[in-house]
Amino acid sequence: IAGAVVQWLRDGLKMISSSAEVETLAREVQDNGGVYLVPAFSGLYAPHWNAGARGAMLGLTRYATRAHIARAALESTAFQVREVIEGLVHFTAQPKSAGGPK
């Protein structure tokens, strides 16, 4: 979904005119200003596997800017990658069954 979230900012919200602009916009702020994005546009997949989940944007205040939203979008990609990696680490750390492959 990493590409889709940037595409949504560009095509859906018209916040940027090209995908390359998202990083420049996100760098205008030092943090996400408390804005968090869950880009579950068509569900949450690995590692949650919930096709019925939908996206959410949280932490909006009147001080939130386009830059905060862009930063939250990029951070959401990092959070999703981290969740997948943590899931892989957890899965591969499971003990092998006695009768299974070694």
Side-chain angles (χ1 to χ4, degrees):
I1 201 71
V5 72
V6 174
Q7 184 179 30
W8 174 68
L9 294 177
R10 185 192 68 206
D11 301 341
L13 297 183
K14 309 285 190 221
M15 286 180 50
I16 53 176
S17 57
S18 73
S19 298
E21 292 176 23
V22 72
E23 183 180 358
T24 302
L25 181 58
R27 286 180 182 266
E28 290 180 7
V29 291
Q30 295 211 352
D31 58 33
N32 64 15
V35 176
Y36 293 91
L37 177 65
V38 179
F41 299 131
S42 57
L44 276 176
Y45 293 95
H48 302 285
W49 305 111
N50 182 346
R54 291 297 173 252
M57 192 176 320
L58 309 165
L60 293 175
T61 68
R62 64 182 296 203
Y63 303 106
T65 66
R66 294 175 337 117
H68 291 110
I69 294 169
R71 175 121 181 187
L74 293 181
E75 288 178 356
S76 74
T77 300
F79 287 135
Q80 287 182 321
V81 169
R82 180 180 176 176
E83 279 190 311
V84 170
I85 291 171
E86 287 175 348
L88 288 170
V89 168
H90 176 75
F91 178 75
T92 58
Q94 297 300 312
K96 305 286 187 254
S97 64
K102 307 269 188 230

